[in-house]
Amino acid sequence: MNNSVSIKDIAKKFKCAPSTISRALNDHPAINIETRKTIQEYALKVGYQKNTLSLSLLNNCSMTLGLILPSITHYHESSILEGMEEILLKSGYLLNICVSNESHTIEKEYIDRLLANRVDGLFISMAQESYDQQLGEHIDLVIQRSLPVIFIDRPNHGVASDRVVTDDYQGAFMATQHLIDMGCQRIAHLHGPSGISVSQQRFLGFQDCLLANGRQVEGDLIQYVHFSAESAIQATRNLMQSAHKPDAIFGVNDEVCIAAMFVLREMGVSVPHDVAIVGFDDIPLASFVHPPLSSVSRQSRRIGEEAAKLFLSKKDQKLDPMTISLDPKLIIRESSLRT
Amino acid sequence: MNNSVSIKDIAKKFKCAPSTISRALNDHPAINIETRKTIQEYALKVGYQKNTLSLSLLNNCSMTLGLILPSITHYHESSILEGMEEILLKSGYLLNICVSNESHTIEKEYIDRLLANRVDGLFISMAQESYDQQLGEHIDLVIQRSLPVIFIDRPNHGVASDRVVTDDYQGAFMATQHLIDMGCQRIAHLHGPSGISVSQQRFLGFQDCLLANGRQVEGDLIQYVHFSAESAIQATRNLMQSAHKPDAIFGVNDEVCIAAMFVLREMGVSVPHDVAIVGFDDIPLASFVHPPLSSVSRQSRRIGEEAAKLFLSKKDQKLDPMTISLDPKLIIRESSLRT
DNA sequence: GCCTCAATTGCAAACGTTTGCGTAAAATAT
DNA sequence: ATATTTTACGCAAACGTTTGCAATTGAGGC
C-alpha cells in the first residue's frame, strides 16, 4: 500500500547506520564526501522523501498553521487566504483551512483537530455563534497553551489578543461622509448580521458620522441583512416602501448593494440621481456593474499578508499582543456621484 | 514554551505505565472502571490533548489531505473548497490548502511539502504552467507511490486518473444552442486562456454546436481573455469594432460577461436586443446585474463534495480510475432572452 | 613500535502513542 | 488447600528522524 522509503531502508541497502544516512542526506561534513554523493544519488533514485512527521514529533514544531474562517466564498475571505499563502510559502509552512460555517460546534471541533495535529499557530475569524454567545473559552484554552493565536477581522471578546483588522469604523465613516458631501439627506443603512464585529463597527462609523454632521440615525432607515445579495432584496423594498424614503444607501458589503441596485432599477429609481449608493469590500466586479459601485476597499489580501507576517515575528521574539489595523480606502465611482 | 501534557506526564503522576493511561483514555475494558474515570477526569482537568502526529507516524495515516488550486478567489474554486470541507469534516480529516498561482514551480514545492507531511491524499487542479508544458511527472510520481490523487476540473495529460469535472463541453454546447434558438446569427466567444482544459472544452462545445447547426466558427468572432473581468474589456471592444459585429457573446465565465456588458452599455449596445449574452459558472451576482446574466451552472460545491466522497470510497476499496462528470445546467435569464 | 590526531561511522536516546504479550494478584472452582 | 480462571496492569517494540557522544580506523610523527 505504502511505497515510501525510509532512512532505515536506505541504511540496510548500504549496510550502515541510519544516522549515517541522515547525515549524508543533510550534507554533514563528518561524512565522506563520496559516501555522501552515493547516498544522495541513491535517495534521489528511489524517491526518498523526508518524513516531516517524525521531526515534528521530535522538535515539537510541525511547520503547519491553522486558519479558521466562517466561510470562504466571499472575495474578502479568499483574498485573505491568498495573501497568507504568499507569505507562508516562502517560510516553509503549510496551512490547514477550516470553514466553520458560523457554527460554534464546528469551530470547536476544528480547533480540537488542529491542536491534536500540533499546529504551530492559529488564525481565526470567529464564528458568529461563538461571538454572539461570547463563547470564547475554547480559544482562550488555546492561548493558554502559549500557542500563537491571531484574530482576523473579528476580535475575541475582552481578552487582549493579536489582531489584524481593517478599520471598519473609519471606512464606514468615510463612506457616510462622502454621501453627505454629495448632498444626500436621508441615508439608509443595510446593516449586517448583528453580533458580528464587522457589522457593528460599520454601523457605529455610519452613526457617528451622522451625529458629527448634526444628524440622527432614523430607525426606519436601518434594515438588517445577511452578507448575501438575496437578503438585501426585501430589505431594499422595505426601505423604498416606507413613507420616509432614503436618497442614499450605505450597505454593509458590495453584494447587498448590487442587489439593492437591482431592486431600485426594478422600481424605476435612478442611481445615483434618486438614490446614491456606497458599498464595502470593493469586490472586483464593483467596477463593472451599472452604475459602477462606489465602495470602501479594505485591502483584503494585505490582511492575510500582515497576519502571516505577524505570526512569523511573534515566533521569533516574544511580543505583547498587538492590533494591526489597516486603513480602508474609499473608491468613488458613479453609484454615489451626484453632480 | 510548550505547555502540552503527554501520556507519559500523566503516567508519572499516577505512578503507572503509559500504556495504562493510553488504555484508560481510550476506555479499554481491561482497565478498572474507576481507574479509568479518575484518569479521564485528570486528563480533562489538565487539558490533555492527544498528539496525532505520533499516531500518524505509527499508523502511516495522517488524516490530512492536500488541495492544490491555481487560485481561490473565484466563486467556483472557493465553493469547491466548501463542499469538500463539509464532507471531510464528518470523516475527521483536515485539509491543507495550497494556492499555486498557476506556477509550476510553486506547485512542485507544495507537492513536496504535502508528501513530506504524509498527506493521505491529494486533490489537484493543475497549474496552467504545468498543464501547458505537459509537466506532469511530479504528479505521476505521487500516483506511483499509490497515494490517491484526484484531479479537479483540469485532468492530467494522458494518464488514467481519478477526476471530478463538470461537462464543460456539454455546458458550452447548451449555451450556444440556446443562443442559436434565440435567433442569434453571429455568435462570438470570449475564449479562456489556451492550454487550460476548461477553456478548450468550452470552445469545443461552442464550435461543435455551431457545426451541428450548419455554421462555422469565424476567426474574428473569437477573442482570448483571462478569467478576470479586466481582461474582457479590450476583447469586447475588439469584437464590436470589427466589421463583422456579433449579435451574441458566449463567455468563458461570468466575470468576463459582466465586463462585456459593461463595455456594451458604454457603446450604447442593448443587451439582449442587439447582443445576447450567456456566461459560465452562475456566480451569485449573475442574477443581480443588469440585465440578469444567463449562465451555465456547474455545481461547484458538488464538485468538492464528490471529490471528497470519491477519496473516501477509494480509501476503503481498491477502485479503478474513474471520472465523475457533473451535468451543467443552463440558467436562462434576461441577458439572452429575445422575444 | 608507540602515541597522537584526524577522519569516519555507529550507538542510543528522544519525541508520543498504541498494542500484543507476559505477569502478578485476586477471585473462583474443584 | 490446590488448580484454574479472571482481573488489572507493565514491558517493550514500533513509527522515522536527529544528534551528542563513543568507537573504530588509518595516517603521521617520534
Side-chain angles (χ1 to χ4, degrees), chain A residues 15-213:
Chain A
K15 295 187 198 302
C16 69
S19 50
T20 305
I21 307 294
S22 170
R23 279 186 261 254
L25 294 178
N26 292 329
D27 252 335
H28 196 289
I31 304 294
N32 189 323
I33 180 74
E34 298 195 6
T35 318
R36 257 185 273 169
K37 280 191 181 174
T38 319
I39 294 179
Q40 285 170 10
E41 280 165 14
Y42 178 80
L44 201 65
K45 201 189 70 181
V46 298
Y48 167 78
Q49 191 109 26
K50 178 183 303 203
N51 187 331
T52 310
L53 295 176
S54 65
L55 282 181
S56 306
L57 196 56
L58 197 58
N59 304 330
N60 215 20
C61 165
S62 65
M63 293 300 280
T64 296
L65 300 173
L67 169 62
I68 305 182
L69 293 174
S71 80
I72 185 73
T73 47
H74 291 269
Y75 176 74
H76 175 63
E77 298 146 344
S78 46
S79 295
I80 290 176
L81 175 52
E82 281 203 1
M84 221 171 247
E85 285 271 293
E86 185 188 335
I87 305 297
L88 296 181
L89 173 64
K90 299 175 197 158
S91 315
Y93 282 90
L94 277 178
L95 193 60
N96 273 124
I97 178 77
C98 306
V99 180
S100 70
N101 202 20
E102 305 282 10
S103 149
H104 178 63
T105 315
I106 296 181
E107 187 173 89
K108 269 203 305 190
E109 167 65 22
Y110 271 131
I111 288 181
D112 264 4
R113 283 189 206 171
L114 292 172
L115 286 181
N117 273 51
R118 294 299 189 266
V119 290
D120 293 335
L122 185 61
F123 303 98
I124 183 168
S125 177
M126 279 178 76
Q128 185 174 1
E129 277 185 24
S130 306
Y131 196 83
D132 278 353
Q133 304 165 33
Q134 312 234 353
L135 298 172
E137 341 81 45
H138 58 309
I139 299 179
D140 294 342
L141 265 171
V142 181
I143 300 180
Q144 277 172 26
R145 293 186 193 217
S146 67
L147 188 72
V149 176
I150 293 172
F151 290 87
I152 307 276
D153 289 343
R154 310 177 185 179
N156 200 2
H157 284 292
V159 190
S161 43
D162 290 290
R163 298 172 52 195
V164 180
V165 297
T166 316
D167 192 335
D168 287 298
Y169 175 89
Q170 190 195 340
F173 199 107
M174 287 159 59
T176 312
Q177 187 63 54
H178 165 62
L179 288 171
I180 291 175
D181 293 345
M182 287 289 118
C184 300
Q185 295 299 321
R186 295 181 302 280
I187 306 176
H189 180 45
L190 294 174
H191 192 304
S194 60
I196 293 201
S197 164
V198 154
S199 310
Q200 292 168 342
Q201 290 301 310
R202 290 179 194 173
F203 172 71
L204 282 179
F206 166 76
Q207 177 178 257
D208 285 2
C209 180
L210 290 182
L211 295 177
N213 285 269

Side-chain angles (χ1 to χ4, degrees), chain A residues 171 175 202 249-257 277-282 293-297 330 335:
Chain A
R202 290 179 194 173
I249 298 178
F250 166 53
V252 71
N253 71 7
D254 287 349
E255 280 86 352
V256 301
C257 288
I277 299 196
V278 178
F280 218 110
D281 283 358
D282 191 32
L293 178 64
S294 297
S295 188
V296 179
S297 162
L330 177 63
S335 75

Side-chain angles (χ1 to χ4, degrees), chain B residues 16-17 19-20 23 30 32 57-58:
Chain B
C16 69
S19 51
T20 305
R23 278 186 260 252
N32 189 323
L57 197 56
L58 196 59

Side-chain angles (χ1 to χ4, degrees), chain B residues 70-254:
Chain B
S71 80
I72 185 75
T73 47
H74 290 269
Y75 176 74
H76 175 64
E77 299 147 344
S78 47
S79 294
I80 289 176
L81 175 53
E82 281 202 3
M84 220 171 248
E85 284 271 292
E86 185 187 336
I87 304 297
L88 297 181
L89 172 64
K90 297 175 195 155
S91 316
Y93 282 91
L94 276 178
L95 193 60
N96 273 125
I97 178 79
C98 306
V99 180
S100 70
N101 201 20
E102 304 283 10
S103 150
H104 178 63
T105 315
I106 296 181
E107 187 174 89
K108 270 204 302 189
E109 166 66 22
Y110 272 130
I111 288 182
D112 264 5
R113 282 189 206 170
L114 292 172
L115 287 181
N117 272 53
R118 294 299 189 269
V119 290
D120 293 336
L122 185 61
F123 303 98
I124 183 167
S125 177
M126 278 178 77
Q128 185 175 0
E129 277 185 24
S130 307
Y131 196 81
D132 278 354
Q133 305 165 32
Q134 311 234 355
L135 298 173
E137 339 81 44
H138 59 309
I139 299 178
D140 294 341
L141 265 171
V142 180
I143 300 180
Q144 277 173 27
R145 293 184 194 220
S146 68
L147 189 72
V149 176
I150 293 172
F151 290 88
I152 306 278
D153 289 343
R154 310 178 186 178
N156 200 2
H157 284 292
V159 190
S161 42
D162 290 290
R163 298 173 51 196
V164 180
V165 298
T166 316
D167 192 334
D168 287 297
Y169 176 89
Q170 190 195 340
F173 199 107
M174 289 160 59
T176 311
Q177 186 63 54
H178 166 61
L179 288 171
I180 290 174
D181 293 345
M182 286 290 118
C184 300
Q185 296 298 322
R186 295 183 300 281
I187 305 176
H189 179 45
L190 294 174
H191 192 303
S194 61
I196 293 202
S197 163
V198 155
S199 310
Q200 292 168 342
Q201 290 302 311
R202 289 179 195 172
F203 172 71
L204 282 179
F206 166 75
Q207 176 179 258
D208 285 2
C209 181
L210 289 183
L211 296 177
N213 286 270
R215 306 187 184 186
Q216 296 284 333
V217 171
E218 301 181 42
D220 56 348
L221 289 181
I222 305 294
Q223 284 283 325
Y224 284 82
V225 296
H226 296 113
F227 292 130
S228 71
E230 284 78 10
S231 69
I233 298 296
Q234 189 56 46
T236 307
R237 290 204 182 113
N238 293 345
L239 284 178
M240 300 308 291
Q241 282 162 2
S242 86
H244 207 63
K245 288 181 191 168
D247 62 353
I249 298 178
F250 166 53
V252 71
N253 72 7
D254 288 349

